[in-house]
Amino acid sequence: MRISGTDLAHEIKQDLATRVQKLNAQGIRCGLGTILVGNDPGSVKYVEGKHKDCAEVGIESIRIDLPEDASENGIIAAIEELNHREDCTGFIVQLPLPEYVNTLKVIEHIDPDKDADGMHPMNLGKLVLHTQKLPETPLPCTPRGVIELLEHAGIDFNGKDVCVLGRGITIGRTIGLMLSLKGKNATVTMCHSKTRDIEDKIRQADIVIAAMGVAHFVKPEMIKNGAITVDVGVSRVFVAEEGRWRIQGDVDPSCYSKVSAYTPNPGGVGPMTRAMLLKNVVEMAERSA
């Protein structure tokens, strides 16, 4: 089964558009802000996609673009501006930031109630503390998108062995918290570049969530028959025979004939991550109402 994130994201945005209209009728406006430092092509395209999504749903866009040599204090000043703007319901600082910037320090300056990415230490802390159900705070977009995508496809996490490849904050370190909640009841193994016998751990999993950023790392011999693969990783690979760069995921497409379900890349988790960002902003506005 091919699990399309594009299709579900479209449905979610239709629902959000209706909810935004109801909020507007109450005199409550939804606004998403973005802070982009520099002109990295991937980041620029991703931010443009976010604002395009806003236009589809009826959320107002607030965009702050800073030069690639912007100082750390300059970035923090932009954050403080959005923290205090009444027309900004929530906002994100597009990552990665330049190497000379202390990313954690920057994120800590975001108002937790406006943390559209769900990455502020206070919101992550609440996620750690809640073991029964999800807290009513902004949730990390990518793991939330993965869970909603699989559940919409009828996949039950209860009792499943899940292997997560990657320990990044975007999904690797957070999805385990969400999947181990009561009500999800998955058993999660997080693997990384120093994990011993990683192929054995992947082969034991019912669900493999690959978020390493290593093109086609997961091969058919690594997974068991009937497993489910979720491809989160993104790599730009030059394909010599085509003479062009292409986006490739962590899961080799040759795995598809062996699995019971898979998310494609692109067209799988990416659209869901963007949809969850919008959902966070709408939920913030609804909580304020």
Side-chain angles (χ1 to χ4, degrees), residues 21-41:
Q21 289 177 352
K22 290 181 179 179
L23 287 165
N24 290 344
Q26 300 175 56
I28 298 171
R29 310 296 294 180
C30 291
L32 171 66
T34 62
I35 297 175
L36 174 66
V37 182
N39 53 6
D40 173 75

Side-chain angles (χ1 to χ4, degrees), residues 103-118:
T103 299
L104 294 180
K105 178 182 175 181
V106 166
I107 290 175
E108 287 175 358
H109 279 80
I110 298 172
D111 180 345
D113 291 332
K114 289 192 172 188
D115 171 29
D117 258 341

Side-chain angles (χ1 to χ4, degrees), residues 276-288:
M276 293 302 102
L277 179 69
L278 301 180
K279 195 168 187 176
N280 274 347
V281 172
V282 173
E283 287 176 348
M284 290 176 192
E286 289 172 338
R287 281 193 288 269
S288 72

Side-chain angles (χ1 to χ4, degrees), residues 61 67 88 92 110 129 137 139 142 148 171 220 230 245 252:
S61 291
C88 178
I92 63 107
I110 298 172
L129 291 172
T137 56
L139 298 170
T142 302
E148 289 205 18
I171 182 169
V230 180
W245 292 87
D252 194 310

Side-chain angles (χ1 to χ4, degrees), residues 55-274:
E56 291 180 28
V57 174
I59 295 175
E60 297 176 13
S61 291
I62 304 158
R63 181 167 177 171
I64 297 178
D65 290 352
L66 300 175
E68 59 183 358
D69 60 349
S71 68
E72 191 172 279
N73 287 336
I75 299 169
I76 292 172
I79 290 173
E80 293 299 341
E81 176 186 338
L82 294 184
N83 280 341
H84 293 95
R85 281 184 61 161
E86 293 184 0
D87 59 344
C88 178
T89 310
F91 67 95
I92 63 107
V93 177
Q94 181 64 35
L95 301 180
L97 292 171
E99 292 184 0
Y100 62 85
V101 175
N102 185 330
T103 299
L104 294 180
K105 178 182 175 181
V106 166
I107 290 175
E108 287 175 358
H109 279 80
I110 298 172
D111 180 345
D113 291 332
K114 289 192 172 188
D115 171 29
D117 258 341
M119 291 295 180
H120 189 278
M122 183 177 292
N123 291 326
L124 290 177
K126 290 180 179 179
L127 188 59
V128 171
L129 291 172
H130 284 70
T131 60
Q132 303 293 321
K133 62 179 182 179
L134 290 171
E136 290 189 357
T137 56
L139 298 170
C141 297
T142 302
R144 187 180 191 186
V146 167
I147 292 170
E148 289 205 18
L149 185 58
L150 295 189
E151 288 185 333
H152 184 265
I155 294 167
D156 185 5
F157 293 105
N158 190 53
K160 294 290 196 305
D161 288 319
V162 179
C163 182
V164 180
L165 305 178
R167 53 184 166 184
I169 194 65
T170 301
I171 182 169
R173 302 182 71 84
T174 48
I175 195 166
L177 296 171
M178 298 172 73
L179 286 179
S180 58
L181 286 169
K182 290 186 177 179
K184 304 299 181 192
N185 299 319
T187 299
V188 183
T189 301
M190 184 182 72
C191 298
H192 46 78
S193 59
K194 302 301 181 183
T195 299
R196 291 186 299 176
D197 303 319
I198 190 170
E199 293 188 14
D200 291 338
K201 292 176 172 62
I202 297 171
R203 200 172 294 114
Q204 294 170 17
D206 303 303
I207 302 172
V208 179
I209 300 175
M212 302 175 73
V214 180
H216 295 175
F217 176 84
V218 180
K219 302 293 185 184
E221 61 271 17
M222 297 182 184
I223 57 176
K224 68 180 181 181
N225 290 326
I228 297 164
T229 57
V230 180
D231 198 347
V232 185
V234 175
S235 301
R236 289 183 76 245
V237 177
F238 185 76
V239 182
E241 55 268 27
E242 297 180 13
R244 57 178 291 187
W245 292 87
R246 281 192 175 275
I247 296 296
Q248 293 184 357
D250 286 359
V251 179
D252 194 310
S254 59
C255 295
Y256 296 164
S257 61
K258 191 174 183 179
V259 302
S260 60
Y262 70 93
T263 67
N265 193 341
V269 176
M272 288 298 295
T273 297
R274 283 166 48 181

